[in-house]
Amino acid sequence: MKNKKIFSLLLAGLLTVSLGTTAFAAEDQIADVQAQKQEAEAGLANAQANINSLESKKQELESYLADLNAQYDELTNSVAQLGIEAAEKEEELNQVKIDLNKARKASDKQYEAMKIRIAYMYEKGGSSALELLLSSKSIAEFLNRAENVAQISEYDRNMLEKYEELQKSISEQEAKVKEEAASINALMSERAAKQQEVQAMAASTNDSISSYIGQISASQEEASALMAEISSADNSIASLMQQAEAEKAAQEAARAAREAAEAEAAESNQGGEEEDYGYDPDEDTTESSSSSTSSNIIVEEEDEEDYGDSGEYGSSGENGGEDSSSGSSEDSSSSNSGQGTYLGNFTLTAYCNCAQCCGTAGNLTASGTVPTAGNTVAMAGVPFGTQLMINGNVYTVEDLGTPYGHVDIYFDSHSEALSFGLQYADVYQLN
């Protein structure tokens, strides 16, 4: 029987050590997954910043491209208008050339007529005009002939002046039209060259925009992959936390079983002492106490003698019983020492008011209050407004989301909530 008790104590101790090791391993896994999640979140922040920068550059290039397209359209219209003006000037120049040819023909004809008269006058000599005047039969005929000679001379002189002025005017007009046509052609060439330059710049800007679009697409894919990684990490953390809670519950059950086995072993040892050493319940208190102490000593000696190393487990179980008694004493004293009612050793996690923690950002608590760091916690099973003391800090239950025995503490930022991780602490109710 005694061997069976010791074996039970040994088994319970091994189970407790195994579960404790598993719990530590789960906590290490949670810490590793949280580190991976923080790394993914940092990468996501960098990817979002890169996307924002690329979007800004893309918008600048699109605005610049719109300006280039406007310039190109303006230059296209200008070149078209200049082409019309150049065609008009070309037509005007052709008309000037036609007019010039007509004037030249008329002046050439007039010039030939003048040459004939001048030649006739020189051939006949200067006496023909005088003879014509002297052969007049009357003064009136003389004056009439003299006036005709003068008119002919004046006509020839006027025609000569007109011829010279016409030639000069046509030459000036021709030069002006040529100059205007040359200016229009030069301006049209300049605008056409500028148009080609703007077109090349627009094509280059389009290529840059396409490049930015490709980079933005790649960054968005990277961001999506990181978000999926973060979501996977959240799921892994939740699963590991559930596993840790289950392991903790199993550990508590194993510890309770160990304490029960230790208590049963202590009772068995006590009964054996009474039977072997003649314990009399009618004896006075002093004798009973003395007998009990001595019996414990004897039992320990018997354990060491009969069971060797197993006796060590017997001592360990006895010490465990003392620890359990001491723990109960401490709980009782803490409940009555101003810390409130002891609720138990609870699981502690953390959350913030972001979309990743709450689905949407900026929500009120389930009780309708604004969450406050250092005050707000979430836990079901107690009324809103319940005050809890955890690690010397006083918190108020204002939110839901976790079962009784699991306290979720509010922080102002997601990074602080991640840094808090998974913890355990004794929880006291103050009101």
Side-chain angles (χ1 to χ4, degrees), residues 288-363:
S288 176
S289 175
S290 174
S291 174
S292 176
T293 303
S294 64
S295 295
N296 287 335
I297 295 172
I298 291 170
V299 169
E300 289 177 1
E301 290 175 355
E302 288 178 355
D303 290 342
E304 291 173 359
E305 180 180 353
D306 295 341
Y307 299 104
D309 294 341
S310 298
E312 295 177 5
Y313 289 102
S315 298
S316 173
E318 186 176 346
N319 291 336
E322 292 173 1
D323 292 343
S324 176
S325 176
S326 174
S328 300
S329 176
E330 289 176 1
D331 293 345
S332 176
S333 64
S334 64
S335 298
N336 300 323
S337 62
Q339 288 184 316
T341 303
Y342 179 68
L343 300 182
N345 189 267
F346 287 179
T347 301
L348 305 182
T349 55
Y351 75 106
C352 71
N353 207 5
C354 72
Q356 295 183 25
C357 290
C358 303
T360 57
N363 296 324

Side-chain angles (χ1 to χ4, degrees), residues 194-231:
K194 184 66 176 178
Q195 185 183 24
Q196 292 179 355
E197 180 182 352
V198 171
Q199 189 176 15
M201 292 170 65
S204 175
T205 304
N206 269 323
D207 292 340
S208 299
I209 291 174
S210 299
S211 174
Y212 281 128
I213 290 174
Q215 294 179 46
I216 289 170
S217 178
S219 297
Q220 287 175 341
E221 291 178 359
E222 180 183 359
S224 298
L226 290 170
M227 289 178 68
E229 185 176 346
I230 291 171
S231 178

Side-chain angles (χ1 to χ4, degrees), residues 364-369 384 398-400:
L364 297 177
T365 64
S367 62
T369 62
F384 290 136
E398 297 179 341
D399 213 346
L400 296 175

Side-chain angles (χ1 to χ4, degrees), residues 340-418:
T341 303
Y342 179 68
L343 300 182
N345 189 267
F346 287 179
T347 301
L348 305 182
T349 55
Y351 75 106
C352 71
N353 207 5
C354 72
Q356 295 183 25
C357 290
C358 303
T360 57
N363 296 324
L364 297 177
T365 64
S367 62
T369 62
V370 177
T372 306
N375 178 67
T376 301
V377 295
M379 187 179 75
V382 296
F384 290 136
T386 301
Q387 291 186 329
L388 305 177
M389 178 174 283
I390 305 171
N391 293 329
N393 299 320
V394 178
Y395 300 93
T396 303
V397 177
E398 297 179 341
D399 213 346
L400 296 175
T402 58
Y404 182 84
H406 181 170
V407 181
D408 212 7
I409 301 175
Y410 177 79
F411 284 87
D412 283 331
S413 66
H414 196 70
S415 60
E416 291 176 322
L418 287 175

